[in-house]
Amino acid sequence: SRAQRLRDRRPARALSVLRRHVALYPQGVLVQEREALMIEALIATGKQAAARRRAERLARSHPGSPHLRRVRQLLGAAELP
């Protein structure tokens, strides 16, 4: 996807695209994927604390998300709420 390519090449731009997606589709079917991409982009831009907060929200709102495993690996967090 466009956001994935941007995340890899231009993480700050990816954050902008993903924030726009949040505004347009706050409860869209791609919420979990979007959140995982946001977390990866935040980490890539050095915003570790923001990434952790977002990961904690993802874990609380979607405890069975298949994206949590990758998010935990990226954050080095064995446990999220």
Side-chain angles (χ1 to χ4, degrees), residues 2-50:
R2 178 179 180 208
Q4 289 170 323
R5 288 189 306 276
L6 285 172
R7 176 207 59 210
D8 294 340
R9 296 182 198 133
R10 297 175 54 203
R13 177 72 179 125
L15 286 173
S16 176
V17 169
L18 291 163
R19 285 183 181 123
R20 181 166 165 72
H21 191 273
V22 170
L24 293 172
Y25 311 103
Q27 300 301 320
V29 296
L30 299 175
V31 169
Q32 294 176 47
E33 291 85 350
R34 180 187 65 217
E35 290 304 305
L37 288 169
M38 287 280 283
I39 292 162
E40 290 184 44
L42 286 166
I43 290 168
T45 57
K47 298 176 179 161
Q48 192 81 7

Side-chain angles (χ1 to χ4, degrees), residues 31-33 36 40 58-59 62-73:
V31 169
Q32 294 176 47
E33 291 85 350
E40 290 184 44
L58 176 63
H62 301 284
S65 174
H67 301 284
L68 286 175
R69 181 175 174 192
R70 171 87 173 127
V71 167
R72 285 183 177 109
Q73 289 173 340

